[in-house]
Amino acid sequence: MKKRTSPPSTLENSPARTGHNMTTMNEFKFINERPVDDISLDFFYKPHTITLLAVSIIGTMYFAFVRDQSDIQENIWAGMVCVIFFFLIVSILAFPNGPFTRPHPVVWRMLFGLSVLYLLFLLFLMFQDYKSIMGIFYWFDPRLRNFNIDMDKEYGANCSDVSFERIWSHVDVFAWGHFLGWAFKAVLIRHMGILWAISVMWEITEITFAHLLPNFAECWWDALILDVLVCNGFGIWCGLKICKLLEMREYKWASIRDISSTKGKLKRVVLQFTPESWAPVRWLDPKCTYMRFLAVCQLVLLWQLTELNTFFLKHIFEMPPSHPIVIGRLMFVGLFTAPSVRQYYIYVTDTRCKRLGTQCWVYIAILVSEAILCIKNGKELFERTQVKNIIFWLFVQAAVSMLFIFGCMLWHRYVDGDESQEASPVKQLSREFKDSAIVSGDSKGKSSAKNSPKTTPTKKARSQHSSVKED
């Protein structure tokens, strides 16, 4: 006897399945195409496509006919700038906002467009030989021809000579950059356990790759005291303090039209460059699944790859640390990491979100492309790789990350389980979509308890309450 099955069309069109699909789609749209709430100045949020098209074409025609075309290099530069300009215009018109809307969605669309251009540039370089790639960099900056990486310089010499003067001599501009970088990472990740896992494992990474990158060879006091405790630790502490202050702040935004004083209007314009709201994040909770545990471990490993790409790129293609290309890449990757981490967080913690955000997708593609570019063009460097060290590094990376994350889970379970369980994004599919404001750190967080499934009375409870009231 055959088992009776329902028609596929009935299942696909059932109200429960349709509602679930709509919830999943809305959740993805919220982190990928975040709408703007409470628009006060309509002019800045209305589409001006025809005006933008006219201004772009007129400006391009003017510079194309007026500028001097006698210099070939200047012509190439002008053509590249024009291509980038029009690509950013298309980004404004077609690309998603991402999870943030401050100061304006156009900023994040243009940043996404730049990341796509950077990814395409990496893919183009992937199919060139080393000589051609260096020729491109020499065309950008001819001064790079005279720069060579000093492989004979010793960074970890005379480690027994420990004095205040020598330690203070290492507190240079790179130390301050180290501190600011970790403060920025703390603002992005907002989890002390994950941050310390990344910090400790990065020192292990430096020890493992010290035979390939000379600047990774440091004295023990430089690695433990200056890097881990002072720069990393103090940066993490300051970043988390900033997060706490932003969480405690009350976010009530007034329209610039409702502000009468000039000083108040200027202050409101400056505050437009600050977050619209700030909500605490909970990467782990006492009852999180093993998939969420592995996803957080993967975040730690991806961050290690981001840091490694920075050092291998400037070493293989021989650029000084202060070169504009190196500094520009650091700033660009730092800015693009913010929406990527937010999208990854929602994808990991919210069961209603079934798709990874496009900005996070492009960010991971950039990391992998940079790593492939380094491996392909650094054959001579990687030929000196000690296989035992790499295998040991991979094992330690996996073990330490899992140990740290598992320790964080135990901490949430036995120490502050109530707090983490309350603030962690525990999802019910019947919950209204507005509750995702608590999950997103750039939303107003207006989801109150009255919309929560815990406080919303069921139909049976309402009927019982009404019958008691009638009696």
Side-chain angles (χ1 to χ4, degrees), residues 136-198:
I136 295 175
F137 288 135
Y138 294 155
W139 182 82
F140 278 107
D141 188 359
R143 295 174 298 177
L144 290 175
R145 296 180 181 271
N146 303 323
F147 179 80
N148 292 310
I149 296 292
D150 189 0
M151 296 292 294
D152 299 327
K153 184 177 179 180
E154 296 182 359
Y155 291 86
N158 299 326
C159 294
S160 59
D161 182 15
V162 183
S163 61
F164 177 78
E165 291 76 11
R166 189 179 181 190
I167 295 177
W168 182 254
S169 64
H170 284 71
V171 183
D172 50 9
V173 63
F174 297 104
W176 286 104
H178 220 77
F179 161 75
L180 294 176
W182 276 98
F184 180 71
K185 294 172 188 176
V187 172
L188 292 182
I189 298 178
R190 312 179 204 173
H191 192 284
M192 183 176 294
I194 299 176
L195 291 168
W196 277 106
I198 297 174

Side-chain angles (χ1 to χ4, degrees), residues 189 191-199 283-284 296 299-300 405 408:
I189 298 178
H191 192 284
M192 183 176 294
I194 299 176
L195 291 168
W196 277 106
I198 297 174
S199 175
W283 287 93
L284 300 166
V296 176
L299 172 70
V300 178
I405 303 306
C408 294

Side-chain angles (χ1 to χ4, degrees), residues 358-374:
T358 53
Q359 298 188 24
C360 185
W361 189 95
V362 172
Y363 177 71
I364 295 176
I366 288 175
L367 294 185
V368 177
S369 300
E370 288 180 340
I372 295 174
L373 190 64
C374 292

Side-chain angles (χ1 to χ4, degrees), residues 288-302:
C288 66
T289 62
Y290 71 95
M291 290 299 295
R292 184 163 166 182
F293 172 79
L294 295 178
V296 176
C297 295
Q298 184 180 1
L299 172 70
V300 178
L301 296 177
L302 287 175

Side-chain angles (χ1 to χ4, degrees), residues 2-18:
K2 292 185 179 181
K3 184 178 180 180
R4 177 179 293 181
T5 58
S6 301
S9 58
T10 304
L11 291 175
E12 292 178 358
N13 297 328
S14 62
R17 187 176 182 87
T18 304

Side-chain angles (χ1 to χ4, degrees), residues 171-241:
V171 183
D172 50 9
V173 63
F174 297 104
W176 286 104
H178 220 77
F179 161 75
L180 294 176
W182 276 98
F184 180 71
K185 294 172 188 176
V187 172
L188 292 182
I189 298 178
R190 312 179 204 173
H191 192 284
M192 183 176 294
I194 299 176
L195 291 168
W196 277 106
I198 297 174
S199 175
V200 172
M201 288 199 305
W202 176 245
E203 298 304 321
I204 299 175
T205 301
E206 287 187 338
I207 296 173
T208 306
F209 290 93
H211 64 286
L212 299 179
L213 301 176
N215 57 335
F216 277 2
E218 300 175 336
C219 294
W220 64 268
W221 48 265
D222 193 359
L224 294 178
I225 299 177
L226 288 181
D227 287 349
V228 176
L229 297 180
V230 178
C231 295
N232 299 5
F234 191 56
I236 292 173
W237 183 82
C238 291
L240 294 179
K241 276 294 182 182

Side-chain angles (χ1 to χ4, degrees), residues 380-434:
E380 296 181 359
L381 179 64
F382 289 105
E383 284 177 356
R384 304 196 305 269
T385 303
Q386 300 176 6
V387 181
K388 293 182 179 180
N389 288 2
I390 303 302
I391 296 176
F392 176 76
W393 174 73
L394 292 173
F395 174 77
V396 172
Q397 289 285 315
V400 173
S401 62
M402 291 184 179
L403 183 63
F404 264 88
I405 303 306
F406 185 72
C408 294
M409 291 177 58
L410 295 179
W411 173 270
H412 290 309
R413 178 174 298 177
Y414 297 108
V415 179
D416 64 340
D418 295 336
E419 179 184 355
S420 64
Q421 191 170 2
E422 180 181 357
S424 180
V426 180
K427 282 74 58 182
Q428 292 89 1
L429 293 177
S430 60
R431 187 177 63 176
E432 300 224 351
F433 174 68
K434 292 182 180 180

